Amino acid sequence: MAAARTRRTTTALLAGTIGLLSPLTLAVPAWAQAAPADGYFATPPPVDMDKLIPDSRQPDKTYTQTKGCVQRSTLGQDIQIKNRPWGQEYLQISKAQDIVKAATGGAGSGVRVAVIDTGVTKHPWFQDRLKSGGDYVATPTKGQQPGLEDCDGHGTEVAGIIGAKPDNPEVGFVGVAPDATIVSYRQLSENYEPAKQNSTAGSSTPPSSSTNPPSGTGTELPPGGGGGGAEGDGTTPGQSNGGRQLEKAGTAGTLKTLAEIIHGIAERHEADVINMSVDNCRPATGSITEGEQQVQAAVRFAAQAGIVIVAAAGNATDTCPQNDQPDARRPKTIVTPPWFADDVLSVGAIDEYGSVAPFSVHGPWVGVAAPGTKIVSLDPAEGSGSLANLTFENGDKASEIQGTSFAAPYVAGLAALVKAKYPKLDAKGIVNRIKETAQHPAAPGGRDNFVGYGVIDPVAALTQVLPSEVGNQAPPPAPQLAQLPPANDHSSTPVIVALAGTAGGVLALLITLFVMHTIRRNRPAETDTRR
């Protein structure tokens, strides 16, 4: 008997202990939970905020310039690009801008867009709206403010699609949000490489630089003229070779400095929207690197701070294979930052026919899509005041500017317009508005791994009323009952009289018709008898 009581007491204590611990079990942090048996592929592991690193506001190491900065070429001196780019027409950018101007007096006024890229040249069509954010590559060579030198030419073209405002009325090109402020951060460059004997980061001695490109580097550009034709201005080499890759051997730019910049922007409240047309591509192994964890923590911090984060989905190359495997849930290529789709709006590219661009990397992280081929934007050469529509590989081979790098700024610009028109909408609300109003593909849930929720629709994003923003949908109306007078159940006499009268009338009508028919039938015979 005593043993039985002991067992019952032990059972009761055990049950009580489990009851007390069960709430603690629910509170176990996500990062401490067991990983999937096969690793992380389509979905990254939960965020580890312990990986959030401070912003040093300087390069992570000393870099040396090995290629000259982009320059104007002697080719195409008289060629002008006046036509309106197909991407602007396709997205009805002018109409979207008119909507915002009517509501606010400007197209993106008061909105700050951070461009984390190769730097941005002080092109005159930015007016006074281009600000210095920082330089994580090197000290600019000609006394420019940090972040306002673009040796590669990539960041200027990206920023131009977001916020350029030509002063020539004959020019058809214009940025999506031409009244927005651009804040430039130079985070990477293919014209720089790590110094052979690294000194400490942030050394006061600037790396060597050359303003004249070595022969054969292909850094010369045709000049812009602000006008159009079959041929035109070009930009730095490499715009069509897969975009700008982080952690690429022999170049400047790491995931660590990207994480630092994102964290710093959010901590100092320096921007409302972040555009990253840079990424890191690697084979999917089921794991996550430390640099990726740092970026993941940074974008979560920025998203929680109310910043809209836009990133290019990535370009497929020999070193970044396309995700064309049978099982979409197990991509063979991981692209960062797009992999962190909970906090990053990733942008794929379409071509001028509305089809998915063949270079646009597919994946479960793709959020939306935008034009990414036959790009026209600002000429990034120092001192230029015009446009570019070609890039020159190896100095003489011209090719069109293309890539998801140039699809992303269309979305970042749209985010700036939405922010301007709906200032009380938070970052998640802006992203949801862009997704929900996109031209959804014919796929389950209106989303696929090629264009995400579809090609953006700026006019709809600025005008459509979304149930998610006004609360739950209105409840169905209550059924309306017919209000008929009460039935008279006291006497059937009125019904009998009415029926009798109706029957009498019908009988009289029938008799009349019979008589008339008989008279008409006999009348011809009487006439013949008289004759």
Side-chain angles (χ1 to χ4, degrees), residues 109-271:
S109 301
V111 181
R112 300 161 300 167
V113 182
V115 176
I116 304 176
D117 214 288
T118 62
V120 179
T121 301
K122 295 189 73 173
H123 195 286
W125 289 350
F126 286 126
Q127 291 82 36
D128 60 351
R129 297 173 293 106
L130 178 61
K131 307 299 180 183
S132 166
D135 206 312
Y136 296 72
V137 174
T139 302
T141 59
K142 297 181 180 179
Q144 301 98 324
Q145 290 178 285
L148 301 188
E149 180 180 58
D150 184 10
C151 282
D152 300 63
H154 187 269
T156 304
E157 293 172 342
V158 168
I161 294 172
I162 297 171
K165 191 175 185 179
D167 54 13
N168 183 352
E170 295 183 356
V171 174
F173 167 80
V174 67
V176 179
D179 292 320
T181 297
I182 303 295
V183 187
S184 174
Y185 301 79
R186 181 161 67 162
Q187 190 264 333
L188 79 166
S189 174
E190 292 188 0
N191 290 25
Y192 285 77
E193 67 178 25
K196 297 188 182 300
Q197 293 183 358
N198 293 330
S199 59
T200 58
S203 170
S204 59
T205 304
S208 61
S209 174
S210 171
T211 57
N212 296 317
S215 60
T217 60
T219 55
E220 292 187 341
L221 300 180
E231 299 178 0
D233 302 340
T235 62
T236 184
Q239 308 296 64
S240 61
N241 68 351
R244 290 300 184 265
Q245 288 287 323
L246 297 170
E247 309 279 356
K248 185 177 179 180
T251 66
T254 63
L255 288 169
K256 178 178 180 292
T257 55
L258 179 62
E260 288 185 15
I261 294 172
I262 297 168
H263 183 195
I265 290 172
E267 195 169 47
R268 297 186 295 271
H269 307 287
E270 293 177 344

Side-chain angles (χ1 to χ4, degrees), residues 289-473:
T289 68
E290 183 177 28
E292 289 169 342
Q293 286 181 306
Q294 291 168 348
V295 172
Q296 185 185 28
V299 295
R300 173 60 54 87
F301 182 84
Q304 291 177 341
I307 299 175
V308 178
I309 306 168
V310 179
N315 301 329
T317 63
D318 292 340
T319 57
C320 186
Q322 181 62 274
N323 281 321
D324 52 5
Q325 69 286 338
D327 187 356
R329 295 168 298 180
R330 289 183 62 87
K332 58 185 179 184
T333 295
I334 296 295
V335 184
T336 299
W339 195 24
F340 310 126
D342 286 347
D343 302 304
V344 177
L345 180 57
S346 171
V347 186
I350 61 167
D351 61 22
E352 60 272 24
Y353 305 107
S355 303
V356 181
F359 54 76
S360 184
V361 174
H362 312 156
W365 47 77
V366 178
V368 290
T373 62
K374 294 188 176 180
I375 296 299
V376 175
S377 190
L378 300 182
D379 184 346
E382 193 76 35
S384 175
S386 51
L387 298 176
N389 68 355
L390 294 177
T391 178
F392 280 75
E393 304 286 349
N394 301 320
D396 57 357
K397 181 183 177 183
S399 59
E400 295 171 343
I401 303 171
Q402 63 179 20
T404 57
S405 289
F406 308 104
Y410 275 110
V411 179
L414 174 57
L417 293 181
V418 175
K419 176 70 175 178
K421 189 170 186 293
Y422 301 97
K424 295 183 179 180
L425 204 58
D426 61 12
K428 184 175 288 294
I430 292 172
V431 171
N432 287 341
R433 174 165 279 273
I434 292 173
K435 287 181 178 179
E436 291 183 31
T437 58
Q439 302 167 17
H440 300 315
R447 190 206 165 277
D448 62 25
N449 286 347
F450 307 103
V451 296
Y453 287 94
V455 180
I456 59 171
D457 187 339
V459 173
L462 294 166
T463 58
Q464 191 165 316
V465 176
L466 303 181
S468 59
E469 293 179 4
V470 296
N472 296 328
Q473 295 185 11

